Amino acid sequence: MKFNSIFFLLLSFVIVSCNGQTSTNIKTIEAKDFADKINTTKAPQILDVRTPEEFTSGHIDNATNVDWLGDSFVVDAAKFDKTKPVFVYCKSGGRSKKAAEKLQELGFKNIYELNGGFLKWDSAGLSKPTDKVIGMSSQEYKALLNTDKKVLISFYAEWCAPCKKMTPYLTKMQTELSDKVTIIRLDADKNKTLMTEMKIDQLPTLLLYENKELKWKHSGFINEEDLKKQL
């Protein structure tokens, strides 16, 4: 009986170990390391798995748009060489993680995923500088703070899952707390200049101001109750 228990324990360990080995095909690395790896790789295969609209608004040089949310991801990904390194990124990391796992299933041997996505790439100063203001300017942003009430700025994106969860109660709070706080939601994809200048590299990001001074900052999901405590 004891022998059987040991046997099954060892068998389970072997199965888990074997299943875990494939994870080594995916390496999630920081923005600067991602850039260095691209620069030292001959003819790098770079997959931007965001939507075509996101890709058009700005992307890593020589990247190819292979939309994870599209209907032809597997077909498009199959056009790349599975034996050579492939570099994958999205906006903040959620889609690229899933895409990297799918690429591994498809047989890609060496996958590099950009940790934190294009937001981290931008905040690390790796995007090409541009004089063009995309969305709200910093002067217009400061004008939003010209009020005696507290101001809560929420940076979000339509594709961001945590942002979607927070939208209903943020919209409700805009009305319920209008006498105490002004709540403003800014689409990150439409306000790239602000995102870069303010070094916002995660979504959602909440910024609470009082008398034009930043009093609180939070990145990631927060529930309604905890948010109200801050207000």
Side-chain angles (χ1 to χ4, degrees):
M1 191 74 173
K2 184 177 180 182
F3 173 81
N4 288 340
S5 298
I6 295 175
F7 173 79
F8 284 116
L9 181 63
L10 290 173
L11 180 61
S12 299
F13 176 78
V14 170
I15 293 173
V16 170
S17 298
C18 290
N19 289 339
Q21 284 178 353
T22 57
S23 65
T24 57
N25 290 358
I26 303 172
K27 299 178 180 66
T28 302
I29 58 180
E30 301 303 320
K32 289 185 177 179
D33 294 329
F34 195 79
D36 289 341
K37 195 69 182 175
I38 286 175
N39 291 333
T40 56
T41 300
K42 184 178 180 181
Q45 305 181 116
I46 309 171
L47 276 64
D48 183 321
V49 300
R50 300 175 298 164
T51 64
E53 292 77 18
E54 291 175 280
F55 182 80
T56 301
S57 69
H59 56 266
I60 295 176
D61 283 349
N62 301 315
T64 301
N65 187 207
V66 185
D67 185 3
W68 169 250
L69 299 176
D71 297 327
S72 59
F73 179 83
V74 172
V75 174
D76 293 337
K79 299 174 184 176
F80 292 83
D81 190 336
K82 297 178 181 180
T83 66
K84 295 181 179 179
V86 61
F87 299 85
V88 187
Y89 72 93
C90 64
K91 185 73 171 183
S92 61
R95 286 169 288 178
S96 62
K97 178 178 177 61
K98 294 176 182 178
E101 291 171 351
K102 174 57 68 174
L103 290 172
Q104 180 175 255
E105 289 179 16
L106 294 174
F108 284 82
K109 304 300 182 185
N110 203 351
I111 305 162
Y112 292 96
E113 183 205 357
L114 173 56
N115 188 33
F118 199 66
L119 287 175
K120 291 287 188 181
W121 180 274
D122 248 349
S123 67
L126 295 168
S127 294
K128 287 184 177 180
T130 176
D131 295 330
K132 181 181 178 182
V133 176
I134 301 176
M136 187 178 291
S137 68
S138 57
Q139 290 78 14
E140 291 171 322
Y141 182 84
K142 290 177 182 177
L144 298 176
L145 311 180
N146 289 328
T147 175
D148 294 332
K149 295 188 291 185
K150 293 179 180 179
V151 178
L152 178 69
I153 306 290
S154 171
F155 283 93
Y156 75 100
E158 295 295 342
W159 46 262
C160 168
C163 302
K164 290 179 180 179
K165 291 181 181 179
M166 294 168 61
T167 295
Y169 66 75
L170 276 173
T171 303
K172 182 179 66 173
M173 289 166 63
Q174 281 179 315
T175 302
E176 289 182 347
L177 304 178
S178 60
D179 59 327
K180 299 178 180 179
V181 57
T182 299
I183 300 176
I184 300 169
R185 301 178 70 238
L186 296 177
D187 190 325
D189 291 329
K190 297 178 181 178
N191 292 280
K192 289 191 63 180
T193 298
L194 280 179
M195 294 288 291
T196 300
E197 290 179 350
M198 299 174 68
K199 298 187 181 301
I200 296 175
D201 56 15
Q202 294 183 57
L203 292 177
T205 287
L206 301 175
L207 302 163
L208 180 63
Y209 295 86
E210 189 171 3
N211 297 322
K212 301 180 183 180
E213 292 187 11
L214 181 63
K215 295 296 184 180
W216 177 75
K217 178 178 179 180
H218 178 83
S219 293
F221 178 81
I222 182 171
N223 62 42
E224 183 177 359
E225 182 181 354
D226 289 340
L227 178 55
K228 283 185 175 179
K229 290 178 183 178
Q230 296 298 330
L231 302 178

